[in-house]
Amino acid sequence: MIHIDLKPISINSAYRGRRFATKDLIQYKKVLSRILPRMIVPEGKLAVWYTFGVSAATDGDNLIKAFQDIIAEKYGFNDKRIYEWHVKKIDRKKGYEFIEFAIKNEKIYK
């Protein structure tokens, strides 16, 4: 493992100006918010697992932010509480895309 002593910056610090939601994001949020199941998010630090089944070539990290913001809003938690991420991307045929996720208390996994 490579260790670098440098403070990471957030996406908000990396760009100037305001970012606006696209029509695709607005529709994605609307659909996803409607179909997400009811769930209670545990208190404290969190660990998340995301599996994205995708049909087009895309960077895995680009799949996280919009999805994570939507579930944080839906389930009423601040995503700054996430301290551990497990992310997997799987190639799928068009029409068979999916998202799987789990949110757990981070202490359980230490």
Side-chain angles (χ1 to χ4, degrees):
M1 177 145 344
I2 297 171
H3 176 88
I4 300 170
D5 288 320
L6 181 67
K7 179 182 176 182
I9 64 170
S10 71
I11 194 78
N12 295 329
S13 297
Y15 297 98
R16 286 190 185 163
R18 189 170 171 152
R19 294 174 292 183
F20 295 94
T22 63
K23 290 178 184 177
D24 288 345
L25 178 59
I26 292 167
Q27 182 64 21
Y28 180 66
K29 181 178 180 179
K30 185 178 178 181
V31 171
L32 192 55
S33 295
R34 189 180 72 243
I35 63 175
L36 284 168
R38 291 180 188 229
M39 180 172 64
I40 297 173
V41 174
E43 295 296 320
K45 294 179 180 179
L46 302 172
V48 294
W49 284 258
Y50 300 136
T51 301
F52 297 98
V54 296
S55 61
T58 185
D59 292 345
D61 57 339
N62 288 340
L63 301 168
I64 298 168
K65 186 62 179 155
F67 180 73
Q68 186 167 281
D69 286 348
I70 293 166
I71 64 171
E73 183 179 328
K74 169 77 175 184
Y75 297 125
F77 72 96
N78 191 325
D79 61 353
K80 72 180 181 183
R81 292 178 43 214
I82 300 172
Y83 281 75
E84 187 175 332
W85 289 260
H86 303 268
V87 182
K88 185 175 183 179
K89 180 175 79 168
I90 298 172
D91 293 330
R92 300 295 290 203
K93 287 184 178 181
K94 189 173 178 100
Y96 295 94
E97 299 90 346
F98 69 89
I99 302 169
E100 294 176 339
F101 74 102
I103 304 171
K104 306 284 183 179
N105 187 299
E106 190 250 358
K107 291 180 188 176
I108 294 171
Y109 303 97
K110 291 292 177 192

